[in-house]
Amino acid sequence: MPVDLRAVASDYLARRFPGRDPDYRRPLVRLDTDFCRRVARHHDQAPTRADVGDAYLVLCQEDLAQYAAIQAAGIVVRPWRGDGQPYPDSRALIDQVTRTGVLWLYLTRCGHGTGTVANHPLLEPSGVEVDGEPLCHNDILRVVHDLFGHVAARAGFGPRGEFTATGAHLRLYPDAAWPAVFTEQVGQICWYFYGDHLATGGPRYPEQKVFLYPQPFLDEFRRQFHPAR
């Protein structure tokens, strides 16, 4: 059954964050490629840290709350066990989820970047099981990012689309989770599309580190968005 994910997000905003504008709109982004390169380089240089405070804990908790809202709205999540990715592009993702109300999840155990650190908080069990498949927190993040970011905001998979998806989805998180969202979404997207590895033929996917970017990166990211529509 088709589900209006934009309406689901607006309802979530109104219930969870009553002080925020509940109108969940697609933001307009001014993509600054110099900023993206600086974010990518910081990802390369940043050491993995154990002292990331509550950012990842709050991220995981909020993802579970968003996942519950998605289930309550009638969206069905199914683990993808086929070859490759379940969707060839963002248009297929948006069209199929909008028409069917079903999201096929590419499982973290089938691909999670390179060099994942031990005890990564997003690899911990989420307590959610789908079709006999226990999901980790990174799986839950993938679900809510695809649905509230790409489908609800009609955002593509390229750098501008990923910025749009994250800029929209960020409003569904408490401020305390924003640094972790930035690391996991913006940091990795900038590395993938603008990292120095592109000139050297290095790994295709970023190293899975646990760290938080300095606050000025987040402030600069938010300044790249124009009034939503």
Side-chain angles (χ1 to χ4, degrees):
M1 174 186 295
V3 176
D4 184 350
L5 276 163
R6 182 170 166 178
V8 176
S10 291
D11 178 69
Y12 189 87
L13 268 172
R15 290 186 294 102
R16 182 72 178 86
F17 304 102
R20 298 179 184 178
D21 180 358
D23 189 4
Y24 193 77
R25 296 162 295 190
R26 183 178 188 271
L28 303 177
V29 61
R30 174 185 58 82
L31 187 66
D32 183 339
T33 57
D34 176 69
F35 169 75
C36 294
R37 293 186 185 96
R38 286 187 282 112
V39 170
R41 291 191 182 112
H42 188 86
H43 185 284
D44 278 333
Q45 298 164 3
T48 290
R49 292 171 46 189
D51 57 333
V52 290
D54 293 334
Y56 274 87
L57 174 63
V58 176
L59 170 64
C60 293
Q61 291 174 337
E62 201 65 32
D63 284 341
L64 287 171
Q66 293 176 23
Y67 186 88
I70 286 164
Q71 286 188 305
I75 291 287
V76 176
V77 176
R78 292 282 180 259
W80 176 254
R81 296 189 174 104
D83 295 332
Q85 297 280 349
Y87 304 101
D89 51 38
S90 59
R91 182 175 297 180
L93 166 68
I94 294 167
D95 175 68
Q96 292 183 34
V97 171
T98 301
R99 285 190 299 101
T100 68
V102 175
L103 172 74
W104 290 98
L105 167 66
Y106 181 72
L107 296 164
T108 298
R109 66 175 176 80
C110 297
H112 189 234
T114 60
T116 303
V117 299
N119 302 317
H120 195 299
L122 293 186
L123 296 186
E124 294 296 320
S126 69
V128 176
E129 184 173 305
V130 175
D131 293 349
E133 186 78 47
L135 305 185
C136 66
H137 284 291
N138 194 65
D139 291 320
I140 303 298
L141 175 58
R142 287 182 176 181
V143 169
V144 297
H145 175 73
D146 278 351
L147 294 176
F148 285 136
H150 291 287
V151 179
R154 297 296 191 269
F157 288 161
R160 186 179 300 277
E162 292 289 356
F163 268 44
T164 299
T166 302
H169 194 194
L170 203 61
R171 297 181 60 222
L172 300 186
Y173 288 97
D175 294 4
W178 288 5
V181 175
F182 186 93
T183 296
E184 294 299 319
Q185 298 294 342
V186 182
Q188 296 199 24
I189 285 300
C190 288
W191 189 96
Y192 183 87
F193 286 105
Y194 296 98
D196 292 339
H197 68 288
L198 296 174
T200 61
R204 181 181 178 188
Y205 294 101
E207 182 180 356
Q208 295 297 320
K209 300 179 177 181
V210 179
F211 71 96
L212 301 178
Y213 282 79
Q215 184 64 37
F217 278 102
L218 280 75
D219 296 338
E220 190 171 353
F221 172 71
R222 297 185 67 204
R223 286 197 297 270
Q224 294 183 48
F225 290 89
H226 301 277
R229 63 181 178 183

